[in-house]
Amino acid sequence: MPAACRDGAMEWIPGGHFAMCSNHHYPKEKPERIMEVPGFWIDRAPVHRAQFAAETGHRTSAEIAPDPRNYPGALPEILVPASLVLQGLIRPVDAKGPASPWWDYRAGAD
């Protein structure tokens, strides 16, 4: 049992196999294949991101400002913690076109 599970609030989920994709629906879903998932521990109750961060010290990439050395010439005011956010669309778009209408880069998102 993981160290974060000292209170017994986690449960072991055994691994197994499952069929991923399908040969019988849309062409882009082919080929069906058998995948294996290893066993894992899971919390019995939802864990808020803040709880997880407090217990592990983990920070998501959305919580870390980009390193200016990786973006020479970038304006300092745009090198802030941010993330892409899936947004609702106000008009129809071509699903085969660029992904940009679906996403918005937002400072402070996590």
Side-chain angles (χ1 to χ4, degrees):
M1 190 174 288
C5 181
R6 288 179 226 105
D7 61 1
M10 295 184 87
E11 190 165 326
W12 175 253
I13 305 296
H17 295 86
F18 71 97
M20 182 170 155
C21 299
S22 171
N23 291 327
H24 308 288
H25 295 93
Y26 301 105
K28 62 186 172 192
E29 293 181 353
K30 291 180 181 179
E32 180 177 296
R33 54 198 175 275
I34 302 301
M35 302 296 291
E36 181 175 357
V37 177
F40 58 93
W41 289 98
I42 191 167
D43 284 292
R44 291 183 182 166
V47 176
H48 188 276
R49 186 193 57 78
Q51 290 173 293
F52 182 78
E55 288 187 27
T56 65
H58 178 77
R59 291 173 53 199
T60 67
S61 58
E63 297 172 287
I64 302 168
D67 185 339
R69 293 174 297 185
N70 294 331
Y71 302 92
L75 299 173
E77 59 267 21
I78 66 170
L79 295 177
V80 298
S83 182
L84 284 172
V85 176
L86 184 62
Q87 63 181 359
L89 299 173
I90 58 173
R91 59 179 168 63
V93 296
D94 179 1
K96 295 179 183 175
S100 57
W102 301 92
W103 297 96
D104 182 39
Y105 189 69
R106 294 185 193 167
D110 59 35

